[in-house]
């Protein structure tokens, strides 16, 4: 059965991914037929955003099982699991999805295993959309009427199973007539803000103003921002949050200006196994992502570069974490624990 979202189409015997490297100028869909192609698409940013990476990994494993026919078993799939797990290190949703699929280990083989994996990948895809819609409502409740918000990176339909996390809150608040506008930081070096977030918001008719990342402080100083809303790639047991590089800068600025700093992420982004953010592996990406923009060189050819893809925002700087289960205000280990223990929204 086909399951479709803005950037991920499941067609039963293969996957199609919208190549996010080409947006907003070109709409190109790539066919993915096995786990290696899925891992390459994740590593090379054809697909990106923590939940979308997890969904893609799940389909990638299902495709690998399909291609193995009668030989498919959890044991014969271990190379594919390792290949997918090696694609990007920081977003925990990737590992969460692979671990979830492990529930079929031992019980099923061959076509039955392939079918179970595909059905669960579809469930992960659908559940993420539902989680984002719930998160959108919980998050919108936190915003004052007429708010203008600032967001970073891309956390929208392109990055998830649909609607989005931080962008989902923005969409829900806009639908309630609660929002005046959105400032989107361009998100150097990969430009998720300018290439993807502004594109999604303009397509939805939500008033967005694109700014250079370095503009955030001035906007806050001028009183133009009522909340900062971002996504997450991994949230540790104490609430420390890994997200796109530059998120920490925004949290420090928000605290200085007494502006709420809201993190939106599904429960699949919580990693209670890690006590705090110092344990998170931060991906470092190719130097040319910083030296070049769209293939055009902007720096001396061999200039040394430091290119971490993510940073850690300490829990103390976070006003609230919003998941599909509700809101954790001023997060700490005890509150995250009890949030995880509850089965439905607070
Ligand atoms: O490098 P990316 O584009 O995968 O980074 C994405 C982010 O940092 C997002 O904020 C995060 O994954 C949440 S997406 C709903």
């Amino acid at each position: 059965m086909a399951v479709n979202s803005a950037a991920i189409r499941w067609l039963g015997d293969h996957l199609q991914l919208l190549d996010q490297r080409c947006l907003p100028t070109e709409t190109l869909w790539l066919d993915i037929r096995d786990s290696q192609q899925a891992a390459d698409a994740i590593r090379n940013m054809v697909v990106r955003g923590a939940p979308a990476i997890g969904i893609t990994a799940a389909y990638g494993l299902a495709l690998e099982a399909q291609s193995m026919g009668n030989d498919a078993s959890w044991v014969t799939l271990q190379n594919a699991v390792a290949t997918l797990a090696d694609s990007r290190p920081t977003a925990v949703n990737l590992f969460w999805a692979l671990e979830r699929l492990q529930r079929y280990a031992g019980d099923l083989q061959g076509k039955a295993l392939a079918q179970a994996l595909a059905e669960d990948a579809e469930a992960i895809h659908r559940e993420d959309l539902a989680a984002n819609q719930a998160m959108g409502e919980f998050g919108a409740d936190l915003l004052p009427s007429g708010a203008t918000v600032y967001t970073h990176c891309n956390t929208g339909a392109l990055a998830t199973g649909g609607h989005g996390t931080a962008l989902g809150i923005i969409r829900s608040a806009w639908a309630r007539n609660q929002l005046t506008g959105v400032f989107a930081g361009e998100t150097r070096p990969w430009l998720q803000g300018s290439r993807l977030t502004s594109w999604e918001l303009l397509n939805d008719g939500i008033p967005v103003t694109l700014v250079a990342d370095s503009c955030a402080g001035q906007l806050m100083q001028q009183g133009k921002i009522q909340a900062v809303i971002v996504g997450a790639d991994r949230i540790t047991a104490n609430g420390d949050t890994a997200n796109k590089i530059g998120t920490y800068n925004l949290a420090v600025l928000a605290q200085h200006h007494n502006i709420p700093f809201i993190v939106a992420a599904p429960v699949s982004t919580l990693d209670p196994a890690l006590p705090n953010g110092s344990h998170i592996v931060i991906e470092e990406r190719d130097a040319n992502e910083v030296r070049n923009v769209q293939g055009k060189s902007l720096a001396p050819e061999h200039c040394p570069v430091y290119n971490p893809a993510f940073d850690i925002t300490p829990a103390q700087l976070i006003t609230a974490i919003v998941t599909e289960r509700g809101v954790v205000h001023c997060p700490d280990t005890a509150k995250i624990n009890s949030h995880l223990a509850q089965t439905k929204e607070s």
Side-chain angles (χ1 to χ4, degrees):
M1 206 227 303
V3 183
N4 293 328
S5 56
I8 304 173
R9 290 180 186 155
W10 173 243
L11 293 129
D13 63 347
H14 72 288
L15 184 67
Q16 288 187 329
L17 296 174
L18 179 60
D19 191 342
Q20 298 189 33
R21 299 169 302 183
C22 303
L23 290 173
T25 47
E26 203 185 339
T27 306
L28 180 70
W29 288 85
L30 299 184
D31 289 338
I32 303 293
R33 298 189 181 274
D34 59 29
S35 61
Q36 185 64 57
Q37 289 179 354
D40 290 344
I42 293 170
R43 182 176 299 106
N44 298 327
M45 309 279 279
V46 169
V47 61
R48 30 70 45 206
I53 291 172
I55 294 165
T56 301
Y59 283 129
L61 197 63
L63 287 169
E64 195 66 34
Q66 281 182 3
S67 72
M68 284 181 170
N70 291 335
D71 293 333
S73 72
W74 193 252
V75 173
T76 57
L77 279 172
Q78 281 318 291
N79 279 344
V81 170
T83 301
L84 288 161
D86 197 38
S87 56
R88 288 189 81 188
T90 306
V92 74
N93 307 61
L94 168 66
F95 307 95
W96 170 87
L98 293 172
E99 211 171 294
R100 167 165 160 163
L101 295 180
Q102 199 178 346
R103 64 170 91 163
Y104 305 106
D107 282 357
L108 298 172
Q109 310 261 321
K111 283 189 182 146
L113 176 59
Q115 189 178 339
L117 293 176
E119 281 171 10
D120 211 20
E122 290 176 8
I124 290 171
H125 196 168
R126 285 200 197 92
E127 286 166 22
D128 191 61
L129 170 62
N132 291 334
Q133 283 164 337
M135 224 180 288
E137 296 304 316
F138 286 124
D141 287 344
L142 301 177
L143 298 178
S145 179
T148 295
V149 301
Y150 188 102
T151 192
H152 187 56
C153 195
N154 172 265
T155 60
L158 293 168
T160 63
H163 198 62
T165 57
L167 222 57
I169 293 178
I170 288 168
R171 284 196 160 99
S172 298
W174 176 252
R176 293 185 188 182
N177 289 323
Q178 226 181 311
L179 213 60
T180 300
V182 182
F183 283 100
E186 63 177 349
T187 318
R188 277 282 292 150
W190 211 77
L191 300 171
Q192 288 92 333
S194 49
R195 296 193 304 103
L196 309 177
T197 297
S198 60
W199 182 76
E200 278 200 43
L201 291 175
L202 287 172
N203 285 346
D204 274 14
I206 299 175
V208 59
T209 304
L210 180 65
V211 290
D213 298 321
S214 42
C215 193
Q218 197 222 30
L219 286 172
M220 293 187 204
Q221 193 178 45
Q222 292 176 338
K224 292 184 175 160
I225 309 290
Q226 280 71 57
V228 177
I229 315 179
V230 298
D233 285 81
R234 193 184 291 243
I235 300 172
T236 57
N238 69 339
D240 288 355
T241 294
N243 192 50
K244 181 53 53 194
I245 189 74
T247 301
Y248 171 56
N249 308 21
L250 291 170
V252 172
L253 280 170
Q255 189 183 57
H256 180 75
H257 292 285
N258 207 13
I259 294 167
F261 186 88
I262 299 167
V263 172
V267 166
S268 55
T269 302
L270 297 182
D271 184 2
L274 300 186
N276 60 59
S278 68
H279 298 267
I280 298 177
V281 177
I282 299 291
E283 175 186 17
E284 283 189 39
R285 295 189 60 87
D286 194 285
N288 282 328
E289 287 186 355
V290 176
R291 290 194 199 109
N292 303 339
V293 171
Q294 307 270 281
K296 184 174 170 11
S297 178
L298 295 182
E301 198 182 348
H302 298 298
C303 182
V305 160
Y306 174 48
N307 185 18
F310 304 98
D311 59 23
I312 309 289
T313 299
Q316 294 76 4
L317 296 179
I318 298 171
T319 312
I321 294 176
V322 182
T323 80
E324 67 272 34
R325 294 185 191 171
V327 180
V328 183
H329 295 275
C330 304
D332 62 20
T333 305
K335 289 181 196 168
I336 300 260
N337 238 329
S338 74
H339 188 75
L340 282 172
Q342 78 192 34
T343 48
K344 20 188 257 238
E345 71 269 15
S346 53

